[in-house]
Amino acid sequence: QVQLVESGGGLVQAGGSLRLSCAASGSIFSINAMGWYRQAPGKQRELVATITSSGTTNYVDSVKGRFTISRDNAKNTGYLQMNSLKPEDTAVYYCNADIKRTRFTKTTLYWGQGTQVTVSS
């Protein structure tokens, strides 16, 4: 059974930084694309950042220049470094990963449980 465990959320003042981690465990052959989503109170969940298996990244415009998505393939772990945080970044952040469990099977999307990020002004 594959699971994703997120950590690193918390309360931070505006202008501060946090680093979120997403550790995948279980039977894993490879991890293709990974991504981070967030959902603020009363709003729809939005895609924040993605990273491919080769390291190509994409970001929503509102976080460009402030957030950095990365991954450590040896550890089956993804990261979201968040700098210059703003109150509008407050949300529950979710990791997802497209995981291939065996060499010859298709990939399956898995989701983390979410971690709360709160930015005070």
Side-chain angles (χ1 to χ4, degrees):
Q1 199 88 38
V2 173
Q3 61 178 350
L4 303 181
V5 178
E6 301 176 18
S7 61
L11 175 64
V12 66
Q13 292 183 333
S17 298
L18 287 172
R19 189 179 76 158
L20 307 183
S21 298
C22 177
S25 63
S27 181
I28 298 171
F29 179 78
S30 64
I31 301 177
N32 292 340
M34 302 184 72
W36 288 91
Y37 292 73
R38 66 185 180 187
Q39 188 165 25
K43 296 185 178 181
Q44 296 294 116
R45 187 173 300 186
E46 69 170 342
L47 179 62
V48 177
T50 60
I51 184 168
T52 68
S53 59
S54 62
T56 300
T57 60
N58 283 284
Y59 302 90
V60 67
D61 286 345
S62 61
V63 309
K64 287 181 178 177
R66 300 188 298 119
F67 290 12
T68 302
I69 187 172
S70 62
R71 60 193 292 167
D72 186 334
N73 291 331
K75 296 182 177 180
N76 287 332
T77 300
Y79 304 94
L80 185 67
Q81 178 68 46
M82 304 184 294
N83 298 326
S84 301
L85 282 162
K86 304 174 181 179
E88 49 264 45
D89 295 318
T90 295
V92 177
Y93 284 71
Y94 299 89
C95 174
N96 83 335
D98 199 14
I99 296 175
K100 193 176 181 67
R101 295 192 65 193
T102 70
R103 182 176 180 179
F104 301 106
T105 54
K106 66 178 182 179
T107 58
T108 301
L109 278 173
Y110 294 87
W111 288 84
Q113 79 287 352
T115 184
Q116 176 70 48
V117 171
T118 302
V119 184
S120 62
S121 60

